Structures are given as C-alpha cells and as structure tokens.
Amino acid sequence: MLAGILLALIGLGDVVRARTGTDAHRPRTLTTIAIVVLWAGVSAVAWLGLGVPVWSVLVTVVLAAAWIATTAPVRAGGGTADGDRGEPTARGLLRGSGSWPAVLLAVAVAVLLLWGPLPDGTGFVVDWHDGSGLAFVDAVPLAAVVGGVGSALFLVDSANVVVAQALPPGLQRGAVTGAEADDLRRRFGRRRRSDADAEQSGDSTVRLKGGRLIGPIERLLLAGFAVAGAFPVVAALIAAKGIVRFPEIRRETTGYQAEYFLIGSLVSWAMAFAAAGMCWLL
C-alpha cells in the first residue's frame, strides 16, 4: 500500500508541475503551495483513512520530495521544461544528472511493495471499503485500489519524466538546436531534407514531437487492459501504434524518429506493465 501512496504523491506533484507555467519565482511558489496542499490531503487520507502509521507516511513524503527535487517536469510542447537545467548550479546539476532518480524510485517502490509495513486496518476509507455492499468493490483488495490509483497518477505525467530521462541527451528536449543538431547529423551520417530547408530559411531547429498527450493515454489503456487480462487488446494497441508511426519513421533519413520512437515506447510500455504487475501483486 505504501508503494501506491508514494506513486500517488509523485504523480500529483508532477501533474501540478507540468501545468503551472514556467520556472519563474512566482509560478514556482504557487506550484510549491499546490503540491504541499495536495500532499497534505493524501497524507491525511493515508493516516486517518487507511490506518498507515505516521512515520510510514512521512517516509513516502520524503521520497516524493526527493523525486521532485531531482527531476525536471515535462510540459506539453516543450520537452523537459526546467529553466536552469543546463546551468552549472546545484539544482541544475541534480535535475540534469541522468536517469538515476528513476532507478532509485524503482528500488524504493520494490522495497515498499515487498517489505513495507502493513497498515493497522482502521480508518474511514477502510470502513467504507468493508461496508460498501458493492460486489465489484468488495472483490478488489483495498491495497490494490490504492496501488491502482497511485499508478494511474504516476502514468499521467511522471512517466513522461522517466521517458525523457531515458532518451539520449540530444533527443530528450522538445527541440534540438545549433551544435546539437549538427552533432546528431554527424552521429547518424545523413541529414534530413527538412534540416536543409530550415537552414536555408535561417532556422536550424529540429523539432521532435514527444506525444505528451498520447503517451499517458496509451500507458493508462495498456495498464488497464493488462490488469483486466485482455492481453489480445494489449497486443493490438502496441501493433496499432507501430503501424500508425511506421510511415513517419520510414520517411526519416537521419534515424531521429526511429530512436525516439523505440526508446520512448519501450520505456513507456515497461512502466505500464510494471504498474499492472504491482496491482496484481497487491
């Protein structure tokens, strides 16, 4: 259950960060206030509603805060949107240090899932679950419900952060400019026609669309169908994505889109199936 609470805290934090403007001082303050209020609500429900010990709730809050401090939000249309990620400051170095936050988060979730303390079984949410009288509610363990809600929140925006961390440095932003574009051209050995056209028009920006909206929908559908055991539907969704994206990838002469699609899709699918597996274990 603690693993689900941790994922819910992180998911809510990233949902707020992805939708609250830039990293200017005032928007950042509003973002912090919103996250604190939401986390206080989740902590209260975990303590008073689920019977989770206070110290366990505090551990999940600390782990979620560490995630927020060491990752940059991914905002629609702009890739990883942290204004000082590239600056040589302590905050910029923490948020630009690769995919180690995602690895540590996976370890923390596994530890909480396998060896985390169990709640005492008292609270208003527990009472509602036990006395709901609804067959579909009684059939699902409360721990699985908490894990499912937390996983769903994490798959919305936090999973985009993990995907951005997994992509090579030249592909993880919303746009590659100047020397980065030249480096990618040398790396793949060829140059796109659109790049040459952009240079002639004075714009050397290569834009890579990250599917910031499609990705969360895809992950939620895959995780939901996997939990329901509808594996033929899961296979059909994966095949349909490959078919839809194949013409776009085939037109590429640089390999940008192919690498972006393969790495992003594999990481995204892995998180969706991991979330479904966690719900099954609970």
Side-chain angles (χ1 to χ4, degrees):
M1 185 175 291
L2 286 178
I5 295 172
L6 173 60
L7 293 179
L9 292 172
I10 293 176
L12 285 173
D14 282 330
V15 166
V16 172
R17 290 199 299 170
R19 290 161 175 79
T20 50
T22 64
D23 284 325
H25 177 71
R26 182 176 177 81
R28 190 182 300 171
T29 302
L30 296 176
T31 299
T32 302
I33 294 173
I35 291 176
V36 169
V37 170
L38 289 174
W39 283 8
V42 172
S43 300
V45 171
W47 177 33
L48 301 175
L50 299 173
V52 179
V54 176
W55 70 268
S56 299
V57 176
L58 292 178
V59 168
T60 59
V61 171
V62 170
L63 292 174
W67 170 269
I68 296 297
T70 55
T71 59
V74 177
R75 300 188 180 116
T80 50
D82 189 356
D84 60 1
R85 182 168 184 168
E87 296 297 328
T89 61
R91 182 167 177 264
L93 291 175
L94 278 175
R95 294 190 169 187
S97 53
S99 59
W100 66 267
V103 175
L104 294 180
L105 174 62
V107 173
V109 169
V111 170
L112 293 176
L113 184 63
L114 299 176
W115 296 290
L118 297 176
D120 57 20
T122 60
F124 62 88
V125 177
V126 177
D127 296 338
W128 169 82
H129 183 266
D130 294 339
S132 65
L134 301 175
F136 68 91
V137 174
D138 297 337
V140 182
L142 183 57
V145 174
V146 175
V149 173
S151 298
L153 290 171
F154 184 87
L155 292 176
V156 173
D157 282 305
S158 301
N160 283 339
V161 176
V162 178
V163 172
Q165 292 174 345
L167 290 170
L171 296 180
Q172 62 181 240
R173 299 186 178 91
V176 181
T177 61
E180 291 177 338
D182 294 336
D183 178 69
L184 284 175
R185 294 186 193 112
R186 288 193 300 269
R187 176 181 171 189
F188 291 106
R190 300 186 216 169
R191 190 167 68 175
R192 292 195 308 181
R193 180 180 299 274
S194 59
D195 291 345
D197 295 340
E199 287 181 358
Q200 292 176 3
S201 63
D203 182 9
S204 60
T205 299
V206 180
R207 300 195 177 275
L208 300 175
K209 298 179 182 179
R212 306 307 180 198
L213 179 62
I214 298 176
I217 296 174
E218 174 193 1
R219 287 188 292 268
L220 291 173
L221 288 176
L222 288 177
F225 285 125
V227 169
F231 298 111
V233 180
V234 171
L237 284 174
I238 293 176
K241 181 177 182 179
I243 293 173
V244 170
R245 295 298 296 271
F246 178 74
E248 179 183 356
I249 296 174
R250 187 179 180 183
R251 287 194 299 268
E252 284 288 333
T253 60
T254 62
Y256 296 165
Q257 293 291 347
E259 185 173 358
Y260 190 93
F261 171 76
L262 289 175
I263 296 176
S265 295
L266 290 175
V267 174
S268 186
W269 296 339
M271 285 185 288
F273 295 142
M278 186 185 75
C279 293
W280 272 108
L281 289 176
L282 295 173

